Amino acid sequence: MFHSNFVILKHLLCLLIVTFIRNPEVQQVIKNSVEYMKSIKDDPKYSKVIEDCRNTDERCSEWAIGSGCEDNHAYMKLHCSPACQSCDFVLDKMTECAFDPNGKDAIDVGGMDGLFERMIQVAHDSNWHPTVLSRPAKKDDTSCEEDITNPCIDGPWVIRKSALYCFIM
């Protein structure tokens, strides 16, 4: 709780300092931002996003003048939340993109290696002559000589087929 309040106070102090430097329209946006942040700082609804609800650029208040928050709303409402008074947008994004603790991995551990190894084998069997420029280190006892998919170069999967490159890191 202390850290959260400190972040808010630090943010508000920066806004107040800028108030003395900027034009009257920017000063009004800053004043409204300060009032907005004060109004939501103790609301439990925003407790998980209060530290993320901030102006990430010093020009946010300038950009918010007029219809700035609507003209580029996806960026402004997320990265200039106090200036656009859009912490609810930040909250919605965090809720939409939240990690599902009951979710299942799309690919099992080692699954990408298996996918690429099958891809190389099918390409080789089809006479497409792919070139493996690098791949992650082998985890089993297969030597490079026994495995056409392993060029003995440790790195991310990089496969070349003519002018087409696939990079997986």
Side-chain angles (χ1 to χ4, degrees):
M1 185 68 169
F2 171 75
H3 179 70
S4 176
N5 287 336
F6 178 74
V7 169
I8 292 169
L9 289 173
K10 181 175 132 184
H11 175 73
L12 294 175
L13 180 60
C14 288
L15 288 173
L16 289 172
I17 291 170
V18 172
T19 302
F20 295 107
I21 304 169
R22 307 290 182 176
N23 70 41
E25 289 176 304
V26 175
Q27 290 178 18
Q28 188 59 50
V29 171
I30 293 170
K31 181 180 175 188
N32 293 345
S33 298
V34 170
E35 292 304 315
Y36 174 71
M37 293 304 289
K38 284 180 184 178
S39 74
I40 68 163
K41 77 176 181 74
D42 293 326
D43 187 336
K45 173 183 173 182
Y46 297 104
S47 64
K48 291 183 180 179
V49 297
I50 199 71
E51 292 182 29
D52 296 310
C53 185
R54 57 190 171 90
N55 290 333
T56 61
D57 191 286
E58 65 186 27
R59 297 167 291 177
C60 281
S61 296
E62 293 174 50
W63 297 337
I65 293 172
S67 61
C69 293
E70 295 306 318
D71 292 345
N72 187 10
H73 99 275
Y75 178 86
M76 291 293 290
K77 289 188 175 193
L78 189 62
H79 297 284
C80 298
S81 308
C84 294
Q85 299 184 18
S86 60
C87 291
D88 55 329
F89 184 83
V90 176
L91 182 61
D92 289 345
K93 289 299 168 201
M94 286 188 85
T95 303
E96 288 173 15
C97 301
F99 176 75
D100 181 1
N102 300 318
K104 184 178 179 204
D105 291 337
I107 298 177
D108 292 330
V109 174
M112 288 300 286
D113 284 339
L115 171 72
F116 274 91
E117 290 190 29
R118 286 188 303 279
M119 190 169 78
I120 293 301
Q121 187 63 53
V122 167
H124 181 75
D125 292 347
S126 300
N127 240 358
W128 294 340
H129 307 291
T131 304
V132 177
L133 302 175
S134 73
R135 56 150 298 138
K138 295 291 281 180
K139 293 179 178 50
D140 59 20
D141 292 333
T142 308
S143 72
C144 294
E145 293 77 30
E146 298 171 6
D147 185 352
I148 62 167
T149 68
N150 189 354
C152 298
I153 301 170
D154 187 26
W157 274 103
V158 180
I159 304 169
R160 182 178 74 196
K161 169 60 179 127
S162 302
L164 175 65
Y165 283 84
C166 297
F167 298 92
I168 300 292
M169 298 185 198

